[in-house]
Amino acid sequence: MQKQLKTRISIIVLTFFAVVVTIVTSRVTSMARNLEVGRLVLSSSQIAGVLTNIRLILLVAMVLVGKKTGMIISYVLILISTVPMIIQMFFLQKWDGIPGLANTVCSVILIYVTYSFINNINHYNKILHLLSQQDPLTGMHNLTAVRDYIDKRIKAGKEFYISFLYIENFAQLNDMMGRDFGNSVLKSLAGRFIGSTVEGEYGGKNGDSEFVIVIDSSKENKDPVAERLEVDARVKQFIKQVKRPLIIENTEITLEPRAAIVRYPDDGGDINELYRHLDDTIAHYRNQAGAEVSFYDASVTNELTENGKIEDRLFKALSTDEIHLVFQPQYNLRTGKLRGFETLSRLEDEEGKSIRPDKFIQIAEKSNLIFRVDNWVLIHAIKRFKDVVKENPDLVISVNISANHLQKPGYAEFVLRTLKENEFPNKNLEIEITETVFASAIENVKAAMDKLRQNEVKVALDDFGTGYASLSYLSQLPVNLLKIDKSFVDKMHTSCEDMDFIKLIISMGHVLHAEVLAEGVESVEKKEALLEWGCDLVQGYLTGKPMEFEKAVEVIEKEKGSV
Ligand code: C2E
Ligand code: CA
Ligand code: CA
């Protein structure tokens, strides 16, 4: 508004001066005598020439300021001053006005050239602005455009929701099928998005595979609960769009979209705070079953702060050797003999309260500290048991390693080197991996597993039945031991399906020449049923809880004494 006013005032001022100069010019021309300025004697045509040029500058300035309006005013002024000249020439046959007319034609051309030049600049500016607001891959509004839009809404005092919609399995898809394939997926999704937004909604692309939807808070709905339900339903419609199977390069794929939602002004006073809370919500609900659409609330940030504290604690504990190891015994079901121990980690917070292992392991996995934790556990378990296994050559000490670890180049070599340096026999170590290793980078996993197995290190598949392992993977990547997940053992006597599943795993394990261990066995009945179904090994509170190293040595000694 202010800019428009300034432009108008400038045009009026320039027009005024241009009119004055035009009038003075015609007067000077009609005087037809010399003018003395000090010692300088100027003819009237010379003065008129100077004034004509000044007027031209004013007219060009008018076009620059007023664009099309400036050009029209300039042409009107030129026309008004030229008409008497033309009349004189054609009706009074006074041809001395020809140079002036030529001058006028040049002015007309110059004004037009100036106008089309700035018009083009404006056009290119518009294109540049459009490009700077557009995602080059999908053509959707990009990060800057969405932020601008949100900023404008905040400044206008509007209330609205922002939803980040992300694809849980996108990274995996990109890794498996390649970046070009991933790009085609995003382009197809963008098509669905662009066609789906309605009035009061604004869609864009945020990060690599993240979409944003800004939804205006409805004016007529003053009930916050009802409004929230409306937004939830709307975002679920977007999710439904994304979930529709896509066919890319003749491959049908199904995406796993999820969404996080915040409300302005309730969940943040500015765009940065709103975005931070959206990221917190994503981090909190990522990989959580059933959390397809999640609204932000303060507990999300609190928990992340809590997790941050655990991460700091773990980081410190790694350098001060404050991680504590306990060992849970495993027994042979038929003979009742001790097979070995699974190494489990324990961590306490600063006040000495224990932190649940699955919690700090999960945090370690998210922050990549897991590699350090796994290596720490491996080295310390080996050091603790190296003398014990010399006396007990059949004892198996197992350690858990994170699925990502086996994919790291050089991991198998690291394990073998650690064993060698500590003179710990390879055959007494078992590495427990979970089925998630089969989800990606299978070639690296296979190479590491082959190397370990060739060197007599045992490999167990933990939590079997909960993940991705298929028979074809299992036949390619042979393991020594299948550990039936505790969740199946828990439901053993209540669900026939789970009983059948356990029986199936036992026979499958044997076909693959692997032993089968049941985890989490807490009752004699379960132990006996498992024995009857042909299960080989057992681990659970019934036969022994995780225990201190000294206690584990006692168990070993007692076992020897009873033989
Ligand atoms: P996991 O590897 O499946 O370990 C077995 C878990 O089941 C252990 O819990 C163990 O204490 C528990 N358990 C065993 N028998 C019974 C039973 O009869 N009843 C019940 N209720 N529980 C039983 P824990 O020690 O809390 O460990 C939880 C998970 O944390 C482990 O599951 C493993 O995934 C992870 N973890 C623990 N230590 C480490 C470690 O050093 N490295 C890695 N990467 N993960 C670890
Ligand atoms: Ca385990
Ligand atoms: Ca397990």
Side-chain angles (χ1 to χ4, degrees):
M1 193 68 199
Q2 249 187 353
K3 202 177 158 205
Q4 262 184 359
L5 193 71
K6 265 189 196 166
T7 311
R8 274 190 199 159
I9 293 172
S10 309
I11 291 178
I12 292 169
V13 172
L14 287 167
T15 312
F16 172 76
F17 282 112
V19 170
V20 171
V21 173
T22 309
I23 294 169
V24 174
T25 312
S26 69
R27 281 284 172 89
V28 168
T29 317
S30 60
M31 274 175 359
R33 59 183 165 88
N34 292 346
L35 205 82
E36 282 179 39
V37 184
R39 269 199 265 157
L40 203 68
V41 181
L42 294 170
S43 70
S44 60
S45 61
Q46 276 174 322
I47 297 168
V50 172
L51 288 172
T52 310
N53 282 333
I54 292 173
R55 189 186 68 159
L56 184 59
I57 291 169
L58 290 169
L59 295 182
V60 168
M62 198 132 68
V63 177
L64 290 175
V65 175
K67 295 179 189 95
K68 200 168 186 174
T69 321
M71 181 176 75
I72 292 169
I73 296 174
S74 302
Y75 281 163
V76 170
L77 286 177
I78 290 174
L79 197 68
I80 292 170
S81 62
T82 316
V83 169
M85 205 191 300
I86 294 174
I87 291 172
Q88 274 190 0
M89 275 169 62
F90 287 99
F91 294 100
L92 306 175
Q93 304 286 305
K94 288 181 84 176
W95 301 110
D96 54 347
I98 285 182
L101 196 65
N103 223 333
T104 305
V105 172
C106 288
S107 302
V108 168
I109 293 169
L110 184 67
I111 285 167
Y112 183 73
V113 168
T114 310
Y115 170 71
S116 41
F117 179 70
I118 55 163
N119 217 15
N120 274 343
I121 287 185
N122 279 345
H123 179 66
Y124 289 128
N125 271 346
K126 267 187 200 148
I127 292 176
L128 279 178
H129 180 71
L130 219 69
L131 285 177
S132 75
Q133 300 263 311
Q134 209 176 57
D135 176 63
L137 178 73
T138 59
M140 290 182 85
H141 299 124
N142 66 7
L143 200 106
T144 323
V146 179
R147 285 185 80 100
D148 285 356
Y149 178 81
I150 293 172
D151 262 340
K152 275 187 199 141
R153 299 218 88 51
I154 292 178
K155 281 190 188 125
K158 303 268 190 229
E159 300 194 354
F160 55 87
Y161 291 81
I162 310 173
S163 175
F164 278 1
L165 197 147
Y166 59 101
I167 316 288
E168 189 99 282
N169 57 339
F170 187 79
Q172 200 184 327
L173 200 86
N174 229 11
D175 288 348
M176 276 162 57
M177 310 292 285
R179 234 186 137 70
D180 287 345
F181 189 91
N183 285 347
S184 305
V185 171
L186 291 174
K187 275 194 227 166
S188 307
L189 287 186
R192 290 183 184 179
F193 258 94
I194 291 168
S196 301
T197 44
V198 294
E199 208 194 316
E201 292 176 354
Y202 186 90
K205 190 160 159 281
N206 207 15
D208 258 2
S209 60
E210 204 169 73
F211 296 91
V212 201
I213 314 149
V214 184
I215 303 174
D216 280 352
S217 175
S218 57
K219 282 178 221 88
E220 63 276 7
N221 200 347
K222 281 290 155 216
D223 175 6
V225 179
E227 188 180 81
R228 205 177 142 111
L229 284 174
E230 256 176 36
V231 172
D232 182 71
R234 186 67 191 122
V235 172
K236 279 189 178 136
Q237 282 172 354
F238 281 102
I239 295 237
K240 206 167 147 200
Q241 291 281 348
V242 176
K243 266 186 163 172
R244 266 175 33 220
L246 266 176
I247 300 186
I248 310 272
E249 295 169 12
N250 294 327
T251 312
E252 184 176 308
I253 51 155
T254 310
L255 299 169
E256 292 165 26
R258 283 174 168 231
I261 304 173
V262 291
R263 188 180 192 281
Y264 174 82
D266 313 29
D267 300 328
D270 61 43
I271 189 164
N272 291 334
E273 197 179 0
L274 291 165
Y275 272 35
R276 207 170 48 246
H277 288 162
L278 279 163
D279 287 341
D280 286 355
T281 314
I282 292 176
H284 181 82
Y285 289 104
R286 180 154 270 169
N287 297 324
Q288 258 189 43
E292 211 169 54
V293 176
S294 321
F295 281 82
Y296 170 80
D297 72 72
S299 68
V300 163
T301 305
N302 291 346
E303 192 180 316
L304 282 181
T305 319
E306 191 61 27
N307 288 358
K309 279 190 197 149
I310 295 177
E311 194 181 321
D312 290 347
R313 174 73 196 114
L314 188 59
F315 189 79
K316 186 167 164 256
L318 277 166
S319 34
T320 50
D321 283 352
E322 283 176 281
I323 295 178
H324 184 71
L325 295 183
V326 288
F327 307 92
Q328 186 175 28
Q330 300 171 337
Y331 289 92
N332 185 306
L333 261 171
R334 273 179 298 276
T335 61
K337 268 184 69 181
L338 178 73
R339 179 212 191 221
F341 292 88
E342 175 177 1
T343 310
L344 295 160
S345 307
R346 298 289 176 260
L347 179 70
E348 289 177 349
D349 65 15
E350 303 287 354
E351 283 99 48
K353 268 209 332 260
S354 72
I355 305 169
R356 279 196 1 247
D358 45 0
K359 174 129 189 145
F360 72 76
I361 293 293
Q362 193 192 11
I363 292 169
E365 271 170 350
K366 278 191 183 159
S367 66
N368 281 345
L369 268 182
I370 193 67
F371 301 127
R372 288 184 59 197
V373 173
D374 282 351
N375 293 351
W376 191 98
V377 173
L378 176 77
I379 294 167
H380 284 79
I382 285 176
K383 282 191 191 301
R384 291 226 101 171
F385 275 96
K386 71 176 195 183
D387 294 332
V388 180
V389 290
K390 274 183 199 141
E391 309 272 311
N392 301 275
D394 294 328
L395 197 74
V396 179
I397 301 301
S398 62
V399 292
N400 292 283
I401 69 147
S402 152
N404 300 337
H405 217 148
L406 213 61
Q407 295 161 21
K408 275 197 131 186
Y411 180 70
E413 288 74 9
F414 163 76
V415 173
L416 296 172
R417 202 169 54 243
T418 310
L419 288 167
K420 199 166 174 202
E421 279 166 11
N422 289 284
E423 296 173 4
F424 190 102
N426 294 2
K427 68 174 177 47
N428 293 97
L429 178 73
E430 185 168 73
I431 300 287
E432 282 192 18
I433 53 170
T434 57
E435 288 178 280
T436 36
V437 290
F438 297 115
S440 56
I442 197 79
E443 285 311 311
N444 292 358
V445 173
K446 186 170 161 42
M449 275 171 81
D450 284 346
K451 180 115 197 170
L452 291 171
R453 296 269 334 247
Q454 279 155 17
N455 285 280
E456 294 185 315
V457 174
K458 295 183 170 59
V459 178
L461 197 53
D462 204 358
D463 304 342
F464 189 75
T466 57
Y468 299 81
S470 66
L471 257 182
S472 86
Y473 275 154
L474 283 175
S475 55
Q476 275 180 64
L477 308 172
V479 294
N480 299 86
L481 181 70
L482 286 187
K483 295 185 84 175
I484 305 174
D485 190 57
K486 182 175 170 297
S487 56
F488 299 107
V489 177
D490 283 346
K491 290 184 275 173
M492 229 172 97
H493 286 312
T494 48
S495 148
C496 289
E497 262 176 43
D498 284 306
M499 277 203 276
D500 289 344
F501 187 71
I502 292 178
K503 286 182 198 166
L504 190 78
I505 297 175
I506 296 171
S507 44
M508 198 166 108
H510 291 160
V511 169
L512 295 165
H513 305 292
E515 286 190 295
V516 181
L517 180 147
E519 274 190 310
V521 178
E522 293 180 351
S523 72
V524 179
E525 298 86 70
K526 284 186 182 175
K527 188 180 142 191
E528 280 170 0
L530 287 159
L531 175 65
E532 195 184 309
W533 298 338
C535 185
D536 307 288
L537 302 160
V538 64
Q539 176 182 348
Y541 287 0
L542 177 73
T543 45
K545 286 192 170 180
M547 55 187 78
E548 298 296 321
F549 172 71
E550 293 74 18
K551 185 81 200 312
V553 175
E554 267 178 38
V555 169
I556 297 167
E557 293 306 323
K558 219 176 186 168
E559 168 108 0
K560 267 190 179 167
S562 67
V563 174

